[in-house]
Amino acid sequence: MTARIGVVGIGWWATVNHIPTISDCPQAEVVAICDLDADRLQKAGAAFGITGQYRDLDDMLAAERLDGVMVSTPHTAHTGPAVAALKAGAHVLVEKPMATTAADGRAIADAAMAAGKQVLVPTGANFTSYTAQAAAWVRDGRIGEVRHAVCQMGSALGDLFAGQPMLETDGQMFRPPASTWADPAKAGGYGWGQMSHSLAWLCHVADLQFESVYCMDGKSSSGVDYYDAACARATNGATVSLSGSATTPKHKGMHMDIRIYGTEGMIMFDNERARLSLHRMDGADDIFDISPQEAEYDGTLPVRVFAQLCAGDAVVNASDAECGARVTEALDAMYRSAASGALATIGE
């Protein structure tokens, strides 16, 4: 079966990652694209040979019999298209952050459950072999009960979150707009834009759901968060330290350093140094080898998994709607706390 895929939101990431990656997947093809801007549709349609071009999502869903829909719209416009596509019977890939309010995150997760379809949030590190191993160590009880975690992330995106053109996108068909990434009124900032990756890894591997968050941040020149420092409590009582920085030097790139502490041991993960290790109280440690190539972030990996999912293949969805909802809840609380200066509780 060749899955029929539609893409909603034709901008930078759709044209450099989503559409080209699906084009290389034998299990799927992009048959339709949808955007409010007719010029964007024409330009992308011509570049990728896609004749199905729509300015109305309902029209595309009614006409195309889609197996999957990829939502690449700006952050604040994820929920409507995701829910509509699920109700139309399609699996959905919705870019991170899955949503920008806790209520919207839960609405997407509820819609997926009601439709019997899957939502995949493309946080690429979740779909690696090393992440599967880390999650298995936790599920198998190798570190006992999770009691604490440290979750640090940095990215070389100081220009993007300051509202400047992102250096790496020079010469591409479209460039990331400041209105998405650097506008505090439209969920711009490092937390929504990047910590959704590290939080998704932590939530999936440690199976944590957040209860409350206290956060302080530092702003970019555009008024969004460049830096985030937060402490949190999970519903199982575990404590969590969260950290993020947008101003990693360009030649260093993105890095995540996550440590999970349990009653019987700990897990250490660091993609910069390509390491994943288990250390137990009884000394029965374990090392999982990560190649330097696998340690580098691969944005095509979750898209390829989505193509397989839509084609009916058996896949492990390591960043599903529940994970996305938990991440959204944590980030929503983090931003509310930074704005108020007080502890923010999930569900308030």
Side-chain angles (χ1 to χ4, degrees):
M1 167 187 170
T2 300
R4 294 170 56 83
I5 307 295
V7 181
V8 185
I10 307 305
W12 166 60
W13 200 235
T15 53
V16 301
N17 179 276
H18 292 163
I19 298 173
T21 302
I22 293 293
S23 297
D24 287 337
C25 292
Q27 305 95 338
E29 63 175 331
V30 175
V31 298
I33 54 178
C34 180
D35 196 277
L36 297 174
D37 189 317
D39 290 338
R40 286 177 175 270
L41 286 173
Q42 190 279 326
K43 191 171 184 178
F48 296 105
I50 303 168
T51 56
Q53 300 174 23
Y54 298 85
R55 295 183 66 187
D56 184 274
L57 175 61
D58 290 338
D59 289 346
M60 183 178 79
L61 294 174
E64 294 290 349
R65 297 177 292 106
L66 299 171
D67 301 296
V69 172
M70 306 173 76
V71 179
S72 309
T73 54
H75 300 340
T76 54
H78 286 174
T79 305
V83 170
L86 289 164
K87 288 182 176 179
H91 295 297
V92 172
L93 180 151
V94 57
E95 260 304 332
K96 54 86 195 160
M98 186 175 83
T100 55
T101 69
D104 280 352
R106 283 294 158 193
I108 293 174
D110 290 347
M113 182 174 293
K117 296 295 178 179
Q118 291 205 45
V119 170
L120 184 152
V121 184
T123 51
N126 281 41
F127 295 88
T128 61
S129 62
Y130 59 76
T131 299
Q133 179 60 78
W137 282 338
V138 175
R139 304 296 188 272
D140 293 345
R142 299 291 303 280
I143 65 168
E145 297 179 10
V146 174
R147 305 311 305 151
H148 182 68
V150 177
C151 184
Q152 156 68 26
M153 183 176 184
S155 307
L157 295 172
D159 47 8
L160 184 64
F161 294 109
Q164 302 166 6
M166 182 178 165
L167 179 64
E168 300 90 324
T169 65
D170 186 27
Q172 294 177 350
M173 185 183 302
F174 303 115
R175 303 188 77 173
S179 58
T180 297
W181 300 93
D183 185 344
K186 296 181 179 178
Y190 191 77
W192 290 122
Q194 288 290 282
M195 288 177 70
S196 42
H197 283 287
S198 54
L199 279 163
W201 200 92
L202 179 64
C203 288
H204 171 66
V205 171
D207 192 23
L208 291 179
Q209 183 171 5
F210 288 84
E211 178 181 274
S212 57
V213 182
Y214 178 78
C215 180
M216 294 185 288
D217 65 11
K219 304 295 189 184
S220 77
S221 57
S222 70
V224 300
D225 51 304
Y226 250 171
Y227 311 107
D228 297 283
C231 57
R233 187 172 296 280
T235 55
N236 71 341
T239 51
V240 183
S241 173
L242 301 171
S243 173
S245 171
T247 57
T248 301
K250 287 289 186 184
H251 66 278
K252 289 298 291 182
M254 185 273 283
H255 63 273
M256 291 195 298
D257 189 341
I258 300 174
R259 304 186 182 204
I260 304 170
Y261 299 86
T263 54
E264 296 180 27
M266 66 175 291
I267 290 170
M268 300 173 64
F269 165 61
D270 179 355
N271 75 311
E272 183 190 11
R273 286 168 284 192
R275 67 176 182 181
L276 175 68
S277 58
L278 167 72
H279 304 275
R280 284 179 46 84
M281 302 295 189
D282 61 9
D285 296 352
D286 202 352
I287 306 293
F288 185 82
D289 290 329
I290 306 175
S291 70
Q293 293 75 26
E294 188 178 21
E296 293 181 2
Y297 186 78
D298 182 359
T300 72
L301 182 54
V303 180
R304 295 198 299 269
V305 172
F306 185 67
Q308 294 174 296
L309 170 65
C310 293
D313 297 343
V315 300
V316 174
N317 184 355
S319 190
D320 61 9
E322 176 60 28
C323 183
R326 293 183 183 189
V327 170
T328 303
E329 288 172 340
L331 287 167
D332 182 6
M334 192 179 83
Y335 277 94
R336 288 191 286 115
S337 174
S340 70
L343 181 76
T345 302
I346 308 302
E348 285 188 346

